[in-house]
Amino acid sequence: MLYKHLSDVTEEEMDKLLDRTGELMDVTDTVSAILHDVQEKGDDGLREYTKKFDKADIQAIEVTPEEIEEAMELVDAELIRHLKIAAENIRNFHAAQLPEKTWFIEPTPGIKLGQMATPLASVGAYVPGGRASYPSTALMTIIPAKVAGVKSVVMCTPPGPDGKINPLTLAAAKVAGADHIYKLGGVQAIAAMAYGTESVLKIDKIVGPGNVFVTVAKMMVRDKAEIDFPAGPSEVLIIADDSADAAMIASDILAQAEHDPKSVSVLVTTSSELAEQTNDEVKKQADAAVRKEIVDSSLENAAIIVTDTMDECIEISNDFAPEHLEIMVRDEDSVLERIENAGSIFVGNYAPVAAGDYASGTNHVLPTAGYPKIYSGLNIHHFLKYSTIQKISKEGLSSIGDTVISLAEKEGLQAHADSVKLRLND
């Protein structure tokens, strides 16, 4: 783990922290080959790659209602209750984001201008598997789509070697309201949803996080299906002063580190004492980590940077553009109002990333690798499209007719001009 004062951080070390997209380019050839195979072979290609990567022989690609009911029975009733609590909070938050379906203004007599929001017809939710099961991601990707009114929401998640999906993930999909569930993971799942196969419905948009292969696959199928944004290995940046608690900060660093060996955790602080305490706490907590091997690998990407001023902390954060940003300082609002780039922001000592990951209600599907500079985290608007509306009377057309005719003729589009002249001369 990098542990230095900002003045001692080399340009190379800072570039490594800030540029987290290079790895995407390394897997494009592999991803392209899988996408092509699935497009050509359909279900047979899906079975081939599921056998190769997930060690599972699957015949039926779609999960049956009986399998879902079996999963519901296998999952402890208390866990089902917690899934429903989280689902309700997620549902309420995203319902609050819903725009007015249709609205109008009348800037000029006879001209009414408006906008109408309509849901996408179909959405595919990718829920990772592999190192862990992520029922929370099923809730985060399916529920907002259903709240938006998407008619067909499908979920893809990788099976285990026995050809079955983790029961808790299936239970979460049931609670969230998925219409179809497929035993597919990785690039082949993205290909199936983008192109469609004999068993898998082609969908309009793919949402959800994944590893570098899934992220690149999503980016490569955008000519067939829209995507939310690149969402790769998890990351957190923490801004803290001497009022923060080192043990809390260390626990949040480890919470990100246990996700993936490529996860990134950064603390920027004005307190050298807090930095030292956090460094010690990270080592202590890492030794006791349940997923110690993953944590140790991830911590090689971590950094603790001491600055002279809070301005420097904020500047680093805005340049880093973290997926998750924690603010643990005395004057929280003064820092918050200066944040420009972050996927989701957690303010205060009692707002750990884990709260948003599971149950507070905000969405945990967020852009990574600096992409919060140009993308928003998953929200209700990802599942809606907007049409502009114009209601124009003859009086209204008369008020802008000369302008339309003049500009159309100047652009050499005489038929455009004539379409207005005809109406005004009627």
Side-chain angles (χ1 to χ4, degrees):
M1 177 166 63
L2 177 69
Y3 175 25
K4 287 185 175 182
H5 189 279
L6 178 60
S7 60
D8 297 323
V9 177
T10 67
E11 184 176 345
E12 182 181 0
E13 288 169 335
M14 186 59 74
D15 286 346
K16 181 182 177 183
L17 277 178
L18 297 180
D19 183 9
R20 307 182 301 284
T21 60
E23 195 177 71
L24 297 180
M25 300 302 103
D26 296 339
V27 301
T28 52
D29 289 345
T30 300
V31 171
S32 181
I34 298 171
L35 293 175
H36 178 267
D37 280 354
V38 172
Q39 191 172 20
E40 291 294 314
K41 299 177 181 178
D43 282 359
D44 288 343
L46 296 178
R47 294 188 182 97
E48 175 186 328
Y49 282 109
T50 300
K51 175 66 173 176
K52 179 177 181 179
F53 295 124
D54 300 310
K55 314 303 179 189
D57 285 309
I58 56 169
Q59 291 306 310
I61 291 171
E62 183 168 1
V63 175
T64 65
E66 291 76 22
E67 288 175 293
I68 296 172
E69 290 308 314
E70 179 186 1
M72 294 293 286
E73 293 174 5
L74 288 172
V75 176
D76 184 82
E78 185 69 2
L79 271 177
I80 296 292
R81 185 177 75 84
H82 287 307
L83 284 175
K84 290 180 177 179
I85 291 171
E88 185 66 14
N89 290 343
I90 295 164
R91 193 173 289 112
N92 289 339
F93 179 75
H94 290 84
Q97 294 178 335
L98 279 168
E100 189 175 1
K101 179 173 174 54
T102 307
W103 55 261
F104 285 96
I105 62 170
E106 190 170 3
T108 302
I111 299 180
K112 292 183 178 180
L113 306 178
Q115 179 175 277
M116 181 172 64
T118 54
L120 300 177
S122 59
V123 165
Y126 183 80
V127 176
R131 292 186 175 89
S133 62
Y134 296 101
S136 56
T137 301
L139 300 180
M140 296 285 179
T141 50
I142 296 167
I143 290 173
K146 301 304 286 187
V147 170
V150 177
K151 291 180 179 178
S152 180
V153 182
V154 310
M155 182 185 87
C156 283
T157 192
D162 60 356
K164 295 182 178 182
I165 292 173
N166 183 286
L168 187 55
T169 302
L170 280 184
K174 169 77 171 178
V175 168
D179 298 296
H180 301 275
I181 305 170
Y182 301 111
K183 304 173 186 179
L184 297 171
V187 176
Q188 61 269 28
I190 303 303
M193 292 188 283
Y195 305 133
T197 71
E198 302 94 318
S199 298
V200 181
L201 296 172
K202 183 191 181 312
I203 52 79
D204 295 325
K205 188 168 189 173
I206 301 170
V207 301
N211 61 20
V212 63
F213 294 93
V214 169
T215 299
V216 171
K218 286 170 61 179
M219 295 170 74
M220 293 181 73
V221 299
R222 292 190 69 178
D223 60 331
K224 299 296 182 182
E226 185 55 283
I227 68 168
D228 44 8
F229 41 75
S234 192
E235 56 193 36
V236 65
L237 186 141
I238 302 165
I239 297 175
D241 62 16
D242 60 3
S243 68
D245 184 280
M248 290 181 180
I249 294 172
S251 69
D252 293 343
I253 287 174
L254 261 70
Q256 292 305 301
E258 72 175 352
H259 267 293
D260 189 284
K262 299 185 185 302
S263 293
V264 179
S265 305
V266 178
L267 166 65
V268 286
T269 179
T270 52
S271 170
S272 56
E273 183 179 354
L274 178 71
E276 184 65 34
Q277 292 171 350
T278 301
N279 189 47
D280 292 341
E281 274 289 336
V282 167
K283 293 175 182 176
K284 183 173 74 174
Q285 293 184 27
D287 285 340
V290 173
R291 308 181 77 188
K292 181 171 171 50
E293 185 176 346
I294 294 174
V295 166
D296 287 345
S297 295
S298 177
L299 288 177
E300 293 179 12
N301 309 317
I304 295 175
I305 298 175
V306 181
T307 69
D308 292 326
T309 67
M310 187 54 63
D311 288 346
E312 291 175 324
C313 291
I314 294 168
E315 182 179 357
I316 291 171
S317 177
N318 284 332
D319 286 343
F320 187 90
E323 175 192 21
H324 305 103
L325 170 62
E326 293 187 355
I327 299 174
M328 303 170 76
V329 300
R330 284 187 185 84
D331 193 354
E332 301 163 347
D333 291 340
S334 70
V335 173
L336 178 61
E337 67 186 14
R338 296 171 61 193
I339 298 303
E340 298 172 358
N341 307 312
S344 190
I345 304 172
F346 301 79
V347 181
N349 289 335
Y350 294 92
V353 169
D357 280 348
Y358 293 103
S360 67
T362 59
N363 208 293
H364 79 201
V365 181
L366 303 164
T368 62
Y371 281 109
K373 288 182 178 179
I374 55 175
Y375 291 105
S376 303
L378 198 65
N379 61 71
I380 205 74
H381 302 286
H382 283 98
F383 305 99
L384 298 170
K385 49 191 171 64
Y386 297 90
S387 303
T388 52
I389 309 167
Q390 301 169 67
K391 293 183 176 181
I392 304 177
S393 67
K394 188 170 185 179
E395 176 193 10
L397 185 60
S398 295
S399 70
I400 60 171
D402 288 345
T403 298
V404 175
I405 291 167
S406 177
L407 292 175
E409 289 180 341
K410 192 65 177 177
E411 290 188 352
L413 300 175
Q414 190 60 47
H416 282 63
D418 291 345
S419 71
V420 175
K421 289 179 180 180
L422 181 146
R423 286 170 168 80
L424 296 180
N425 293 331
D426 182 20

